[in-house]
Amino acid sequence: MAEKEKKKLLDNLSMENETIADIAKFRLPSSRKEQFGEIFKTRFFTLVFVNLIMLVFFLPLIADLVVKEVFANVYGASFPYSANLGMGYPGVNYIIADSDMQFILLKFRVALVMIPCILIATPAIAGSLYVIRKLMWGEGVHLWPDFWKGIKVNGKQTFLTMILVAMVVFMATYNISVFPSVSTLSNTGNVLVTIATWIIVFLMVSVIMYMLTQINNYNLKFSQIIKNSVLFMIALF
């Protein structure tokens, strides 16, 4: 009898008592959109700090892309294609081919450097997703303790997932930016490779999003997470 009374009291204090204004059902968010709006209004600065942390950890990747653009402009200015009119620039054999090769190597190096830059962002993703999950579940959030706890709890599996992300990014960058310049395929073949690459990227993005969601919400083996994510992706289409 005492247990039933205790359960009834807990129910009244949590969800069932519509007369309690702060926790009445009609006051609770009815959708994810409303829930996000409520979090945005009440925990705005927490969201700002989480995004700033993410930005800091993604700075190496941003710097890699900026350096690529800077060097691309330098190569364009340093290799004159038609400036040798008998004066000024000395004659250089195969200057166009040399310039093209330098640009291809630049894009390949940028794609390689992206791999460690993406892996560096792993702690930010693990910690931030944990904080966001607690916000969405309506739990109390202490930014830095929860951020570090998220790294500790989800860091290993998130790191493995980010390895997969890095592989997909490298493959896509190579196939789209580098492969057409060095392949011996026809234009049609290069177009088909590009289309296939975009399809793979689209499917892998779906799988990776499901993986990160499961890592952040369930205690599963990594192999089970991959299996579930592939099945979810198939079911999505």
Side-chain angles (χ1 to χ4, degrees):
M1 187 68 177
E3 289 295 327
K4 290 183 179 180
E5 291 295 327
K6 183 178 179 181
K7 183 178 185 302
K8 183 178 179 181
L9 176 62
L10 291 174
D11 288 340
N12 287 336
L13 290 175
S14 59
M15 298 292 288
E16 300 300 329
N17 192 344
E18 299 290 345
T19 63
I20 302 178
D22 291 340
I23 59 175
K25 284 183 178 179
F26 72 90
R27 291 185 178 275
L28 297 176
S30 60
S31 66
R32 291 295 182 185
K33 183 178 179 180
E34 288 187 11
Q35 188 176 19
F36 175 77
E38 185 68 21
I39 293 172
F40 188 81
K41 289 185 294 184
T42 59
R43 302 303 299 267
F44 175 76
F45 287 105
T46 300
L47 294 176
V48 170
F49 286 130
V50 168
N51 282 276
L52 287 175
I53 294 170
M54 292 279 287
L55 177 62
V56 169
F57 278 84
F58 273 98
L59 283 178
L61 181 60
I62 296 173
D64 182 44
L65 297 176
V66 171
V67 168
K68 180 254 185 183
E69 292 300 320
V70 171
F71 273 91
N73 292 330
V74 169
Y75 283 139
S78 301
F79 288 86
Y81 287 99
S82 59
N84 184 22
L85 299 176
M87 59 183 178
Y89 291 103
V92 181
N93 294 328
Y94 311 112
I95 189 169
I96 296 179
D98 187 52
S99 178
D100 289 343
M101 182 56 64
Q102 291 293 331
F103 194 59
I104 291 170
L105 291 175
L106 170 65
K107 291 188 286 188
F108 182 74
R109 286 193 291 264
V110 168
L112 280 179
V113 175
M114 278 184 181
I115 296 175
C117 290
I118 291 172
L119 298 181
I120 289 173
T122 296
I125 295 174
S128 298
L129 287 178
Y130 186 79
V131 172
I132 296 298
R133 190 204 73 181
K134 294 194 70 175
L135 287 174
M136 296 299 292
W137 285 6
E139 300 178 6
V141 173
H142 303 281
L143 182 59
W144 287 113
D146 288 330
F147 181 83
W148 293 114
K149 184 177 180 181
I151 296 174
K152 181 179 179 181
V153 174
N154 301 327
K156 180 179 178 181
Q157 291 185 335
T158 304
F159 181 77
L160 295 175
T161 304
M162 295 308 293
I163 292 176
L164 180 60
V165 172
M167 292 171 59
V168 172
V169 170
F170 177 79
M171 179 271 297
T173 304
Y174 180 85
N175 285 356
I176 295 171
S177 298
V178 179
F179 182 77
S181 301
V182 298
S183 75
T184 57
L185 297 177
S186 63
N187 289 335
T188 302
N190 290 331
V191 170
L192 292 176
V193 170
T194 301
I195 293 174
T197 299
W198 280 114
I199 293 174
I200 293 172
V201 169
F202 180 75
L203 296 177
M204 290 306 301
V205 167
S206 302
V207 171
I208 289 165
M209 295 299 292
Y210 284 125
M211 290 177 66
L212 291 174
T213 302
Q214 291 181 85
I215 290 170
N216 198 41
N217 289 281
Y218 304 105
N219 184 18
L220 299 172
K221 294 181 178 179
F222 191 70
S223 58
Q224 188 65 47
I225 290 173
I226 295 177
K227 178 182 177 182
N228 292 345
S229 299
V230 172
L231 292 176
F232 288 149
M233 182 269 293
I234 295 174
L236 180 65
F237 300 103

